[in-house]
Amino acid sequence: MKKVLVIGSGGREHAIVYQLSRSPQVEHIYCAQGNAGIAQLAECVPIADTNVPQLLDFALTHQVDLCVVGPEAALAAGVADAFREAGVAVFGHSRAATQIESSKEFAKQLMARHHIPTAAYRSFADYNEALRYVRSRNTYPTVLKYDGLAAGKGVVIAENEQQADLTLRDMLVGEAFGKGKVVIEDYLQGPEFSFMAFVHHHRVYPMPLAQDHKRAFDEDKGPNTGGMGAYTPLPFISPEEEQWALRHILQPVADAMANEGTPLTGVLYGGLMKTPEGIRVIEFNARFGDPETEVVLPLLETDAYTVFHAIATGNELPPLVWQQQATVGVVLASKGYPGTYKKGAEITGTEQFDGLVLHMGTTRENGHLLTNGGRVLMCVAHGDNIPQARQHAYDEIQKIHCDNLFYRTDIAYQAL
Ligand code: AMP
Ligand code: GLY
């Protein structure tokens, strides 16, 4: 019987813990740090996800058989490197491989070297040179991306020269960002979707496609968030297009990373766009997407421990088996999110929800379930098709009560 340590505290980690808890091989799950939902399935331990020495010490003391890393910050802090060096099986990329997410320029250069389809780009460290380039192009909108950790505020779609100038000043001259470069790229148009795969070096095991909704309010209005809901499958991507993306994007990226000395050992997340010219890469992430994982991972029928362990250690897997159900997940977020919001509002009724309530930001005090983050719950429902699953999700959400939560009412609208 196996012991597993999961690192992270959000809905994505709740989905991971949920799947591991269904594995007959798994005897005990620890989660650092977890949340109130995860605590129903795992023993939560108060160690920060970037505290590498303490996490490793915990894993060795408790003789865990496998560690599954959720957040990018933990990977960028070198958790997987330290565990691998100590001989603990770990599902998660090295710090070097995590650059596919943490450095836009690393990802763009890799794609250019290997002819992976993406928007044309140039990168600049100098404000004057960048501005000269933007002026010479004189094409709007134009996309400006800060090349470094920017907590989700690093992408600006400039509509005119004045806005481009202000953004470049902000990113390259001002104090708000660090000492990074700016990637300037062509503006692409079309529906976006998320294509995740389990990857060990050259081996790539695709997951079902999902779509996330990044804006806070209905009709894709309001500020960008971490994601307000997700669904799978996607009617606007054909099986042929999915195969094309696997063959021309995910597999060649895995091969390139392995061949260039930064092999992947975890999840490769392609943020893709279906443009009139074909499928293009918008970005890569080095981890499970959140909230996409909450609708995708529960569909995995193959034993999750077997999958995570094989990816961690390089064992071969049979083709993965996925339930063929339509799944829609709606995020309940604190009023005010993604700006400032209050914590500590009581939530009731989650037990009545017919489906899966995955906790993103919750805590429990004196037996009461309380909000404890911006995104609080991901309410996941199934159906024979997307309209059914969506109706089911919205009907069931009525059973959950809290006076400080809001949600989008149009999740999956692109699939109706
Ligand atoms: P990223 O952090 O690179 O995923 O960018 C955040 C969001 O900005 C994406 O989800 C897209 O909606 C948008 N975006 C990024 N790059 C482009 C592009 N080249 N063309 C159009 N939209 C983009
Ligand atoms: N849902 C988008 C992401 O995880 O980055």
Side-chain angles (χ1 to χ4, degrees):
M1 292 296 280
K2 308 297 185 188
K3 290 192 256 185
V4 187
L5 169 64
V6 175
I7 298 176
S9 328
R12 163 182 57 204
E13 288 77 20
H14 194 175
I16 293 168
V17 166
Y18 168 72
Q19 276 294 31
L20 285 167
S21 75
R22 295 170 63 195
S23 165
Q25 300 177 69
V26 174
E27 171 187 31
H28 197 80
I29 306 171
Y30 301 100
C31 188
Q33 311 196 37
N35 60 40
I38 291 172
Q40 295 177 319
L41 303 168
E43 180 181 341
C44 294
V45 291
I47 307 176
D49 58 18
T50 52
N51 189 337
V52 181
Q54 237 181 301
L55 291 167
L56 181 58
D57 186 55
F58 182 90
L60 293 172
T61 310
H62 294 79
Q63 300 184 321
V64 307
D65 299 282
L66 173 69
C67 172
V68 180
V69 186
E72 191 241 336
L75 297 170
V79 167
D81 304 78
F83 275 59
R84 222 163 273 134
E85 194 164 313
V88 183
V90 55
F91 178 96
H93 311 296
S94 67
R95 192 203 306 236
T98 301
Q99 286 180 95
I100 190 91
E101 169 167 0
S102 59
S103 166
K104 303 258 183 221
E105 201 184 14
F106 177 95
K108 278 295 200 181
Q109 287 178 345
L110 185 106
M111 286 188 268
R113 277 199 301 282
H114 298 276
H115 312 290
I116 313 277
T118 187
Y121 84 105
R122 295 266 309 266
S123 78
F124 297 90
D126 180 73
Y127 160 74
N128 288 308
E129 279 179 36
L131 185 61
R132 217 174 299 133
Y133 174 70
V134 165
R135 284 193 173 138
S136 69
R137 278 175 95 232
N138 197 28
T139 315
Y140 299 95
T142 201
V143 181
L144 309 172
K145 298 187 178 184
Y146 179 73
D147 183 35
L149 294 177
K153 299 192 178 71
V155 179
V156 171
I157 308 216
E159 300 292 343
N160 50 47
E161 183 178 316
Q162 191 188 7
Q163 196 190 356
D165 184 3
L166 282 174
T167 304
L168 289 172
R169 247 176 233 275
D170 235 22
M171 290 182 175
L172 291 172
V173 185
E175 303 284 310
F177 292 82
K179 277 196 178 334
K181 293 186 184 175
V182 168
V183 168
I184 301 179
E185 66 177 39
D186 289 351
Y187 176 73
L188 304 178
Q189 269 178 300
E192 289 182 58
F193 62 102
S194 308
F195 195 173
M196 300 189 283
F198 295 103
V199 181
H200 178 274
H201 299 204
H202 294 279
R203 290 203 188 105
V204 178
Y205 302 89
M207 301 184 217
L209 302 179
Q211 193 187 42
D212 173 18
H213 295 63
K214 290 207 167 80
R215 300 297 196 100
F217 309 130
D218 284 5
E219 297 173 20
D220 293 325
K221 299 221 167 81
N224 257 319
T225 70
M228 294 297 293
Y231 66 96
T232 184
L234 305 184
F236 58 87
I237 304 292
S238 69
E240 293 73 28
E241 288 169 321
E242 184 172 349
Q243 280 307 311
W244 189 92
L246 181 60
R247 265 208 315 280
H248 293 90
I249 297 173
L250 297 189
Q251 184 68 55
V253 166
D255 290 339
M257 294 290 281
N259 292 337
E260 295 184 4
T262 48
L264 296 169
T265 317
V267 173
L268 176 62
Y269 166 124
L272 310 182
M273 187 184 274
K274 180 176 167 169
T275 77
E277 287 76 43
I279 294 173
R280 299 284 182 272
V281 176
I282 295 293
E283 64 161 348
F284 286 113
N285 291 324
R287 50 167 176 82
F288 280 111
D290 197 352
E292 294 94 322
T293 303
E294 289 94 307
V295 292
V296 168
L297 201 55
L299 297 175
L300 180 65
E301 281 186 4
T302 313
D303 186 304
Y305 182 85
T306 302
V307 175
F308 288 128
H309 192 265
I311 295 296
T313 56
N315 289 335
E316 203 160 335
L317 280 168
L320 303 182
V321 181
W322 300 92
Q323 259 177 65
Q324 300 297 316
Q325 265 189 313
T327 307
V328 173
V330 179
V331 170
L332 306 191
S334 295
K335 288 179 185 165
Y337 172 79
T340 52
Y341 54 83
K342 282 194 315 237
K343 294 183 182 179
E346 183 165 8
I347 311 163
T348 57
T350 52
E351 312 75 29
Q352 270 76 53
F353 187 93
D354 176 34
L356 203 52
V357 178
L358 295 169
H359 293 220
M360 304 181 94
T362 61
T363 188
R364 200 174 287 279
E365 269 176 38
N366 305 320
H368 298 288
L369 183 64
L370 306 178
T371 63
N372 194 38
R375 293 187 297 172
V376 176
L377 298 173
M378 171 77 162
C379 302
V380 178
H382 301 290
D384 292 337
N385 50 44
I386 295 280
Q388 262 187 26
R390 179 192 210 236
Q391 189 61 47
H392 194 52
Y394 282 117
D395 287 347
E396 290 297 311
I397 281 175
Q398 305 313 316
K399 298 178 179 167
I400 298 178
H401 300 285
C402 176
D403 63 13
N404 200 42
L405 292 177
F406 78 100
Y407 57 89
R408 274 182 65 158
T409 65
D410 64 347
I411 298 305
Y413 75 88
Q414 291 193 44
L416 298 182

